[in-house]
Amino acid sequence: MRICLVSETWSPDINGVAHTLKQLSTELLQRGFTLQLVRPRPAGQAHGADGMSAELQVKGFSMPGYHQVRLGLPAGRRLQRFWATERPDVIYVATEGPLGWSALRAAERLEIPVVSGWHTNFDHYCRDYGIAWLSPLVTRRLRHFHNRCAGTLVPTHRQAEELTSKGFENVRVMARGIDGETFSPAHRSPELRASWDGDEHRPVALYVGRLAPEKNLDLLRDTFAAMLAARPEMSIVVVGDGPGKSSLEKALPDVRFTGFIDPQGLARHYASADIFIFPSISETWGNVVLEAMASGLAVVAFRHAAGAELIDDDINGVSLPVGDEDGFRDAAVTLSQQPARYGRLGRAARERALQYRWPAITDDFLAALNLAREVSDETTHPCRV
């Protein structure tokens, strides 16, 4: 099967979409599938993606005020020429930006089946960025996009139920996986903990992710401040970057901010901490929750996305109802004072995380693509049925 991936973002971009597509493409290439890629031209020096039989790079632009996020411009004619020459059996459109819409229209003209991904809660982002009035319009627009596809893949069962209740059709679940060797307690580094002024008797709390409004940074700030007030000797480390970094640094002068770090360093940071704090409720999944759990950390998160799918409260993490911000802050403070408990939760968290492996996730992905092909064949060539 020849599969074309269409995405506004690709490795080495640091975000959930790029990470998921990298893992899927690696697994698919190992199985011998032929992959194509359509994406915006990378900023700076152009380079091709590894393993692709064909690649089309289109013009792109950076989001105003958020240069890490790039979008592709519409390229309908180029896409039709590309797919007329290198026709895929099925197309996976991962993002609903201008390039994604353009790809959907081109695929419809060429009668190539399309499966779409739901990787970003754009309607939630409207509220986070002060334009909540746009949320109903965004939802309608997204529904129109996804219902033109043969299927839409979402990461959790709760998300599938929610979208179906809003009129989205053919919604299927494809969770996210983890590499249990890359993210493992085996990478714990006493030297790294010492550089944070931590040891085995003083806990280390960690946050990993974009530092942007949709990540609930006000609660992150308040939670870390409360933890330090209760245990001044503990260390807190923030990995990531974004428009909210400077204000957090001013509010939390005793917290260590690393910016983005390389994958190997990230695995050591996870494994060298004890508690993972994740207050965001904008995720469709939240890869960092799964990475932290696989690394043996006790995670404090809301009952949302991966936090709802993976965490059983006080069994393999701490899970709070969405909206209970006081409870979230208090739970994090309490946990930081209970080393035996966060050690127990961290060990159970790894056992739970290892149930999510990329080979099984890829099987779900391929099942959705094969179904789209079968339905397309029945529609286009009814005599074959």
Side-chain angles (χ1 to χ4, degrees), residues 20 37 63 92 118 156 248 340:
T20 297
L37 175 62
M63 289 282 288
Y92 179 67
W118 184 274
T156 69
L248 276 180

Side-chain angles (χ1 to χ4, degrees), residues 336-382:
S336 70
Q337 299 170 316
Q338 300 173 323
R341 181 174 173 232
Y342 62 64
R344 170 179 62 83
L345 295 177
R347 290 188 293 273
R350 176 164 173 81
E351 292 180 7
R352 175 65 169 149
L354 293 182
Q355 297 175 18
Y356 287 76
R357 298 286 194 169
W358 279 111
I361 307 303
T362 305
D363 289 343
D364 292 339
F365 180 70
L366 288 171
L369 299 191
N370 277 314
L371 180 61
R373 286 184 67 195
E374 292 170 4
V375 172
S376 176
D377 284 346
E378 291 174 4
T379 303
T380 309
H381 305 289

Side-chain angles (χ1 to χ4, degrees), residues 166-314:
K166 294 180 179 179
F168 287 74
E169 301 168 355
N170 302 315
V171 180
R172 296 169 61 96
V173 176
M174 182 192 77
R176 305 294 184 258
I178 193 69
D179 180 341
E181 295 181 1
T182 297
F183 296 100
S184 166
H187 302 301
R188 193 173 181 87
S189 169
E191 295 79 14
L192 184 55
R193 285 179 68 93
S195 73
W196 300 333
D197 297 328
D199 56 36
E200 292 309 312
H201 303 289
R202 291 183 289 183
V204 175
L206 178 71
Y207 169 84
V208 176
R210 282 197 313 277
L211 301 178
E214 69 271 14
K215 299 298 183 179
N216 207 358
L217 297 185
D218 288 348
L219 181 56
L220 182 70
R221 176 200 63 212
D222 294 345
T223 300
F224 280 158
M227 293 173 77
L228 286 171
R231 294 205 64 170
E233 78 281 10
M234 77 178 296
S235 299
I236 295 178
V237 179
V238 172
V239 176
D241 207 340
K245 182 183 178 184
S246 60
S247 62
L248 276 180
E249 286 178 317
K250 292 176 183 176
L252 300 168
D254 296 323
V255 171
R256 289 168 173 79
F257 290 82
T258 70
F260 290 122
I261 56 179
D262 63 84
Q264 184 177 3
L266 178 59
R268 290 176 65 239
H269 277 63
Y270 275 122
S272 301
D274 303 296
I275 301 170
F276 188 75
I277 304 298
F278 194 67
S280 177
I281 52 172
S282 66
E283 263 58 35
T284 57
W285 175 252
N287 288 311
V288 294
V289 171
L290 188 56
E291 291 168 356
M293 293 177 71
S295 301
L297 303 191
V299 176
V300 181
F302 283 115
R303 212 162 290 139
H304 170 80
E309 202 89 348
L310 302 174
I311 298 176
D312 295 315
D313 187 47
D314 206 34

Side-chain angles (χ1 to χ4, degrees), residues 32-182:
F33 286 90
T34 299
L35 299 186
Q36 305 169 351
L37 175 62
V38 177
R39 60 166 171 161
R41 188 173 301 115
Q45 185 175 0
H47 57 275
D50 294 336
M52 299 296 149
S53 67
E55 180 176 351
L56 175 63
Q57 295 183 1
V58 305
K59 292 182 180 179
F61 64 97
S62 297
M63 289 282 288
Y66 207 161
H67 69 274
Q68 296 99 328
V69 178
R70 285 178 61 79
L71 298 175
L73 292 172
R77 291 182 180 177
R78 291 190 64 194
L79 285 166
Q80 288 190 69
R81 289 196 298 269
F82 178 62
W83 286 331
T85 304
E86 302 281 349
R87 184 181 178 89
D89 297 306
V90 63
I91 297 167
Y92 179 67
V93 178
T95 52
E96 309 97 328
L99 176 58
W101 278 91
S102 180
L104 177 58
R105 288 190 290 267
E108 288 174 334
R109 294 188 185 102
L110 295 171
E111 297 185 333
I112 303 172
V114 175
V115 174
S116 59
W118 184 274
H119 292 269
T120 305
N121 286 327
F122 286 108
D123 53 342
H124 196 289
Y125 278 35
C126 290
R127 297 191 291 273
D128 292 323
Y129 284 86
I131 49 174
W133 57 273
L134 265 180
S135 182
L137 176 62
V138 169
T139 298
R140 287 197 298 272
R141 186 72 170 157
L142 291 172
R143 183 171 55 236
H144 179 60
F145 177 92
H146 288 281
N147 284 355
R148 288 165 62 178
C149 300
T152 294
L153 300 180
V154 302
T156 69
H157 293 87
R158 183 173 297 185
Q159 183 85 75
E161 293 169 1
E162 180 181 340
L163 290 181
T164 300
S165 71
K166 294 180 179 179
F168 287 74
E169 301 168 355
N170 302 315
V171 180
R172 296 169 61 96
V173 176
M174 182 192 77
R176 305 294 184 258
I178 193 69
D179 180 341
E181 295 181 1
T182 297

